[in-house]
Amino acid sequence: MSSNSDAKSFPRPTAGYTQSFWRTQSDPLDNHQTTPDLPEEIDILIIGSGYVGASAAYRLLAENPQNPTPRVVLVEARELCSGATGRNALFAKRYGIDAAAEIVRFELSHLKIIEELVRKEKIDCDLTFTRSYDMYLDENQLNEVKTLYDSLVDQELDFMDDVQCLSQTETRDTAHVRDAKGGFSFPTGHLWPYKLVAHLIRVAVSHGLNLQTNTPVSGIGETPNLDGFWPVTTSRGVINARKIILATNAYTSALAPQYSKAIIPCKGVCSQIAAAPGAPRQELPGTYCIRSGPGAYVYQISRNDGSLIIGGASHLYEDNREEWYNNPDDGKLIKVAADYLDGYMQRTFIGWEDSKAEIKHIWAGVMGYSADSLPHVGGIPGKPGQFIAAGFHGHGMPVAFLSGKAVADMAQSSVPFEETGLPRLYKTSLARLDPVYDDILG
């Protein structure tokens, strides 16, 4: 049977990759293989052990168990969760305020849902609720966003109640950003994603999940066999699966080439930065996105241990396309971004000039960027029994958990997309596979 992954140019996870800070404390399941051999036939195959794959496995086996228990296998090309794990104004202009508001409410709903999940399962993942500071160094860009902010406030949209507009003075006094002209503040949260994912998969394994790490998939048959199973070729043999969930994000087109225009692997750089012990530094009130102009931003998470997770700066290398665009190699850093992050805190924040803050850990990650900035979730067009949740455009944390849960319900119980609670714009479709927009390259 022919495979849909014959083209060697499709992106695949690389063997040698830069180790992220999040994986510095590995889980016992990191290289786990539940059975020495792969089962020949199963009910549902999940490909990818990131946030979506973990959510889907947890939903299928722990949160919504069926009788009899479905035969579910999760395969991961490398170790467990070893991949990479502010556009609503754009959506409002393109699709209307109602559709854009759905996305905002959906993302905000994750705060309470993840809080309840962490409490229920007693997950040690450093979950912290705080505020996000969206800071603008470019006055023209700030004024454009302020116009949208005023419009949303005038429409009395519920989610605007806790969005604060900060003046230039307030950004200096509250957010301590040296050159900001103003900005906005709103509720957010952050956590240790690897620990959350590993815990969810551990729960799923305890309920019958067959986890197979270090098992890359090389192809999916073009059609099901006579018994209705999709043949899936892996490095350790063939699995025949009644249903398949692609939680493959950046690497989707290697197994579903029809997504080669819609979801592109794009490389970025992230770091952990910390001040020298005892050195003076200003306490920061939350997480940040600091925007120096259209498309130019650096994101930042202030961790409870005093260190910071800082990444972005893609505007510095966007013209050097081979460095990042359609590049699945997370074994090599992008030097201009790494150099920029060195000394970033001293240059950016008031009270950090003498902090001696330096990079403690730096790594590359490959994200699945969507041509229209929207995730693809739902049944794969023309492939009955195959489902996808991928293309999160570097914005998966407030989106992936409920997306994984939704595709699990679609695969297990044939729940229609429209009944999952997902924003309408997330639905994958034949039309979206040939994108009208190209938000990646502009």
Side-chain angles (χ1 to χ4, degrees), residues 357-368:
E358 62 180 4
I359 295 172
K360 300 296 184 182
H361 210 102
I362 190 163
W363 64 97
V366 182
M367 298 160 283

Side-chain angles (χ1 to χ4, degrees), residues 209-224:
L209 174 68
N210 186 329
L211 171 64
Q212 298 288 340
T213 62
N214 300 298
T215 307
V217 174
S218 58
I220 301 172
E222 289 286 355
T223 58

Side-chain angles (χ1 to χ4, degrees), residues 86-90 107 130-139 141-146 148-149 152 160 162-168 170-172 174-177 179-188 285-301 344 348-349 395:
R87 297 178 307 279
N88 295 310
L90 170 67
E107 292 186 6
T130 182
R131 294 191 71 81
S132 182
Y133 291 84
D134 209 21
M135 303 284 97
Y136 290 81
L137 310 188
D138 180 85
E139 194 155 9
Q141 188 185 18
L142 173 64
N143 291 337
E144 289 182 11
V145 179
K146 179 62 165 58
L148 174 66
Y149 168 84
L152 297 178
M160 294 301 294
D162 202 9
V163 179
Q164 300 173 2
C165 180
L166 304 177
S167 67
Q168 183 172 13
E170 288 170 324
T171 62
R172 290 177 62 87
T174 302
H176 312 292
V177 180
D179 297 323
K181 308 301 181 184
F184 305 88
S185 171
F186 46 87
T188 191
T287 71
Y288 287 79
C289 184
I290 299 181
R291 305 178 187 274
S292 54
Y297 66 90
V298 173
Y299 62 86
Q300 172 181 325
I301 299 170
Y344 174 80
T348 307
F349 287 92
H395 194 62

